[in-house]
Amino acid sequence: MDHELGTHIVKKAWEGYDASKVIRSIDDISANVSTNFVFRLTFEDDDIIIAKLSNFGQHDYFKEDHRIIHSLSNNLLYPYENFLAKSLLKNNRVYIYRYRLSGTDAWVVFYNPTRIMERLPRRLEDSHIKKLAQQTAKFHKACSRASKVLPKSSKTMRTDINSLLDQLNNDENSFGSRAQVDLLRYHCDLYLKGRAKYAANTFETIPVFIDWNIGNFSVSHKLEFYSRWDYDWFRMSTRMMDFYFFSRVVSDAGDRTVFSYLITTMMEKRFILFMEEYHKHNPFTINEIYFLKEAYRFFILNYVIKDGKHFFHEQYAVKLQQEAYDIYLPSVDRDFDADVLISALKLKH
């Protein structure tokens, strides 16, 4: 989808929301990594609204996710009551506009602009890592409390893996060579076996945001979570889905503009420090730590392989998918050792 069509769809979406409020300008403020567009709408009275335009995934999932997030934002207690960017409502429901014309199927949601305080530095010091771990542990606890009253989600890790297996059965040519297709089937099978082995169905289901790149949230001057605005990979799942991205945030390399998804960040001393600090405030079980590699395997299979060409711009999708076959998937069972973390956390077998 091009910028011009995106702008047109956002205009139509706003007309459906409140045609009496006149738009003065629409600015594209997209990060240009994903296929999603983000626009800033400025109105004649100087009010500002943020619009997100997406054609990634399914409309029903997008709608469901945003309704869960809206419910979550209303049910998170202090100090997180204003942490999440608020979607605009119409008739007491999150307003989502769907555009279907000439083969284009896309949807728009509007947000109030988010107040941003401070960004974490691109490479964290040990003191930052500990504080981030404390904040994550407390936020996960808050999400756990709120999850009891949230709408149900129809999307699970199992349904996503089964969807990938269906695609492999129906159109294996779109996934590359026979060897690559066999590799994907093998890792789907390993994921499902690992899920059973570590009793993942007994893990608590909470809201997780998965993508914790430091460009997606801001902190106060005390390094406490202040605001968060990116919901591209939101889902109801185990908290263990969040930790791979935290390993990237705290990694020795720090935040990079050219990125890869290597598993080795979860073996760094800096991530072990993060996990030790988190564990003091919100303890892990042994099975959760063993499941970390399955959460990573799922991330690669689902977000890089299954959805990559729809979500990432082409140059990123091609690079990441090739790396998934050559590096990421072969590394899962070779380069991650849960026992190192289990030992550091003093968890008993």
Side-chain angles (χ1 to χ4, degrees):
M1 191 189 315
D2 61 22
H3 168 87
E4 201 171 318
L5 177 57
T7 305
H8 168 71
I9 293 171
V10 166
K11 279 181 184 168
K12 298 287 286 181
W14 185 259
E15 284 169 17
Y17 181 76
D18 181 6
S20 70
K21 194 170 174 71
V22 181
I23 298 170
R24 185 170 70 217
S25 63
I26 298 180
D27 299 301
D28 188 342
I29 55 170
S30 308
N32 293 323
V33 172
S34 79
T35 54
N36 293 330
F37 283 100
V38 182
F39 294 97
R40 182 175 55 235
L41 279 59
T42 308
F43 299 93
E44 292 199 330
D45 58 6
D46 292 330
D47 283 351
I48 291 173
I49 285 295
I50 305 299
K52 179 174 168 184
L53 167 66
S54 178
N55 62 354
F56 156 64
Q58 295 179 27
H59 171 259
D60 286 347
Y61 284 154
F62 184 87
K63 185 168 67 174
E64 182 179 86
D65 286 348
H66 276 82
R67 287 184 175 157
I68 296 170
I69 294 163
H70 174 68
S71 180
L72 175 64
S73 70
N74 277 310
N75 286 291
L76 281 172
L77 303 180
Y78 175 86
Y80 305 110
E81 77 279 16
N82 294 313
F83 180 54
L84 301 178
K86 297 281 195 284
S87 303
L88 296 194
L89 307 182
K90 186 167 184 175
N91 301 325
N92 233 10
R93 303 198 81 172
V94 175
Y95 175 73
I96 294 169
Y97 174 84
R98 189 173 188 181
Y99 177 92
R100 280 189 286 190
L101 195 68
S102 313
T104 300
D105 189 4
W107 34 91
V108 178
V109 64
F110 294 112
Y111 300 104
N112 266 312
T114 309
R115 286 181 171 81
I116 297 173
M117 272 188 102
E118 296 179 17
R119 297 281 177 91
L120 288 172
R122 292 178 83 86
R123 187 181 181 281
L124 305 190
E125 304 295 334
D126 284 3
S127 58
H128 296 134
I129 292 171
K130 286 185 172 181
K131 190 69 180 182
L132 179 61
Q134 293 164 17
Q135 285 294 298
T136 305
K138 290 175 182 176
F139 180 61
H140 279 168
K141 277 185 169 178
C143 286
S144 169
R145 285 191 293 269
S147 64
K148 314 291 186 288
V149 297
L150 299 181
K152 291 285 174 274
S153 171
S154 56
K155 183 171 52 179
T156 68
M157 293 166 83
R158 186 187 288 275
T159 60
D160 274 326
I161 290 296
N162 286 337
S163 171
L164 173 56
L165 285 168
D166 286 344
Q167 288 176 35
L168 288 170
N169 291 335
N170 295 331
D171 183 21
E172 64 177 43
N173 292 337
S174 65
F175 290 93
S177 69
R178 168 44 62 93
Q180 288 172 327
V181 169
D182 287 346
L183 182 72
L184 295 180
R185 284 206 179 95
Y186 173 70
H187 279 278
C188 286
D189 185 53
L190 282 179
Y191 168 78
L192 293 170
K193 284 177 177 167
R195 183 185 166 76
K197 183 178 179 181
Y198 306 125
N201 62 323
T202 66
F203 299 167
E204 184 184 20
T205 295
I206 70 166
V208 290
F209 292 87
I210 299 177
D211 183 355
W212 285 92
N213 281 330
I214 59 172
N216 291 341
F217 65 102
S218 76
V219 296
S220 70
H221 59 281
K222 291 182 178 176
L223 300 181
E224 293 168 343
F225 281 167
Y226 183 74
S227 57
R228 155 112 218 187
W229 51 85
D230 186 298
Y231 305 146
D232 284 347
W233 289 340
F234 172 85
R235 65 190 302 133
M236 297 295 292
S237 191
T238 164
R239 61 176 172 165
M240 304 318 288
M241 282 300 295
D242 270 349
F243 287 95
Y244 172 61
F245 264 86
F246 282 116
S247 79
R248 291 160 54 80
V249 172
V250 305
S251 70
D252 194 43
D255 191 46
R256 295 274 183 99
T257 45
V258 178
F259 59 93
S260 285
Y261 291 132
L262 302 172
I263 199 171
T264 44
T265 54
M266 289 201 290
M267 288 282 89
E268 289 185 25
K269 285 180 180 172
R270 294 159 67 86
F271 182 58
I272 293 169
L273 176 66
F274 176 92
M275 296 294 276
E276 287 172 327
E277 192 63 30
Y278 180 104
H279 186 60
K280 291 175 191 171
H281 299 273
N282 195 356
F284 296 108
T285 65
I286 279 189
N287 272 350
E288 283 181 314
I289 300 301
Y290 278 127
F291 188 73
L292 270 174
K293 76 171 181 183
E294 300 307 335
Y296 171 83
R297 196 189 318 264
F298 173 86
F299 171 74
I300 300 302
L301 289 170
N302 189 62
Y303 293 106
V304 176
I305 297 292
K306 179 168 79 71
D307 292 339
K309 60 181 177 288
H310 307 295
F311 177 74
F312 294 106
H313 277 310
E314 189 179 8
Q315 78 265 31
Y316 291 108
V318 170
K319 169 186 180 288
L320 294 170
Q321 289 183 334
Q322 194 57 52
E323 288 179 356
Y325 293 123
D326 297 343
I327 304 167
Y328 309 154
L329 291 173
S331 75
V332 180
D333 300 292
R334 183 189 67 220
D335 295 341
F336 178 76
D337 184 357
D339 288 327
V340 172
L341 283 162
I342 287 165
S343 173
L345 299 174
K346 299 180 174 63
L347 287 167
K348 295 284 186 285
H349 280 274

